Amino acid sequence: MFTEDDLIPISALQHLVFCERQWGLIHLEGAWAENRLTTEGRQLHERVDQVESESRGDLRIARGLRLRSFRLGLTGRADVVEFHRLLDDAPGRRAPPDSPTEGVRQEGADGWWQPVPVEYKRGRPKKDHCDTVQLCAQALCLEEMLDVNIGCGALFYGKPRRRYDVPIDDALRAETEALTLRLRELTESRRTPLAAYAKKCDRCSLYDLCLPKTVGSGRSASAYLRQTLDQIARPSGEA
Ligand code: SF4
């Protein structure tokens, strides 16, 4: 079990799935470059964060819930956690037994409520698993925090505006836990992985900082920047 001081942001997992070097540049070297995609994504999250929690009949919605797992050593925040009331007579649902495994209590409300994490994304569903892994990590945190089993989450994409249910199944759980181990390993190594140019680099917000075609030999972005600044500061005529 990890302690509060050891927790790593869930967002790091998402960067790791996209590119280990991008993860290193952001989380080890503190780099962040905003492009149109990241700006739109941030604005979408800000809009989500501004809306307050609400209750609609058999649905309760909590926004911006802080998450953590001491077992996995992860922390983060959920855009939205929906709580669906479990009803005996609702098709496909059943009330949980006395020892709850599917539902939790809600303050000021009767019955049991099933948590469903929902993550908002700009753009379209991605080819890699970065969004589903992030969602699964949120679900694993919620399970530990609420002592409940979560069978399903959801991803909402801006283009087209559509919601996709995501089963939190064994394969996704195993993938997420394996990536969490890799994340811990890389974090403890304190070394930014090398660049390797790929097609995805063209849509990477850190392309200009990473320079994957230039510094693929392994220099870190900070070393490259230091060298560039040294060259600028050097009197003309020096090599
Ligand atoms: S430019 Fe390519 S190698 Fe560099 S961080 Fe982005 S995806 Fe990774």
Side-chain angles (χ1 to χ4, degrees):
M1 294 293 260
F2 295 96
T3 67
E4 198 78 48
D5 292 340
D6 300 321
L7 302 182
I8 298 174
I10 290 173
S11 59
L13 272 178
Q14 209 190 3
H15 297 134
L16 191 73
V17 173
F18 181 70
C19 168
E20 289 195 353
R21 179 164 169 80
Q22 191 198 64
W23 164 83
L25 292 173
I26 293 171
H27 296 274
L28 293 182
E29 302 198 27
W32 183 252
E34 196 162 81
N35 63 14
R36 183 179 60 81
L37 302 184
T38 56
T39 304
E40 289 177 11
R42 179 175 49 75
Q43 287 170 347
L44 178 62
H45 278 257
E46 283 172 358
R47 278 198 296 279
V48 169
D49 291 347
Q50 282 162 10
V51 183
E52 293 192 353
S53 299
E54 56 187 275
S55 179
R56 293 184 228 146
D58 292 328
L59 175 65
R60 289 189 157 202
I61 299 172
R63 301 176 196 274
L65 200 64
R66 291 278 169 196
L67 304 173
R68 55 104 185 109
S69 165
F70 291 126
R71 181 178 69 84
L72 295 172
L74 294 175
T75 185
R77 192 167 68 160
D79 283 343
V80 163
V81 179
E82 296 177 347
F83 292 87
H84 297 255
R85 190 200 291 270
L86 291 160
L87 299 171
D88 283 324
D89 55 357
R93 293 204 182 140
R94 62 183 177 80
D98 289 343
S99 171
T101 56
E102 295 176 17
V104 295
R105 296 291 194 187
Q106 285 280 291
E107 200 177 323
D110 294 333
W112 297 90
W113 300 71
Q114 187 176 48
V116 177
V118 183
E119 183 67 14
Y120 286 73
K121 300 291 176 191
R122 67 158 306 283
R124 301 176 188 284
K126 302 179 185 73
K127 286 180 183 161
D128 65 30
H129 289 182
C130 63
D131 293 341
T132 51
V133 164
Q134 181 188 18
L135 187 71
C136 181
Q138 292 180 354
L140 295 174
C141 288
L142 280 169
E143 286 187 338
E144 183 178 313
M145 292 166 61
L146 302 176
D147 191 19
V148 68
N149 289 333
I150 295 179
C152 187
L155 290 166
F156 183 91
Y157 288 93
K159 293 176 191 171
R161 291 178 59 79
R162 187 169 163 198
R163 174 178 170 137
Y164 297 83
D165 285 342
V166 179
I168 309 297
D169 58 21
D170 289 346
L172 181 56
R173 287 168 185 269
E175 181 182 9
T176 304
E177 298 219 7
L179 282 161
T180 303
L181 285 177
R182 176 67 176 153
L183 177 62
R184 182 67 54 181
E185 183 181 71
L186 284 170
T187 300
E188 288 174 359
S189 80
R190 308 296 305 165
R191 299 189 66 169
T192 300
L194 305 183
Y197 178 78
K199 210 172 172 188
K200 64 185 174 186
C201 295
D202 297 333
R203 57 188 166 86
C204 174
S205 58
L206 296 185
Y207 185 97
D208 290 341
L209 191 61
C210 171
L211 299 172
K213 292 178 178 172
T214 308
V215 293
S217 57
R219 283 187 300 168
S220 71
S222 52
Y224 173 79
L225 282 175
R226 264 199 311 278
Q227 186 194 12
T228 304
L229 290 171
D230 284 349
Q231 285 172 351
I232 292 169
R234 206 171 288 148
S236 59
E238 286 186 23

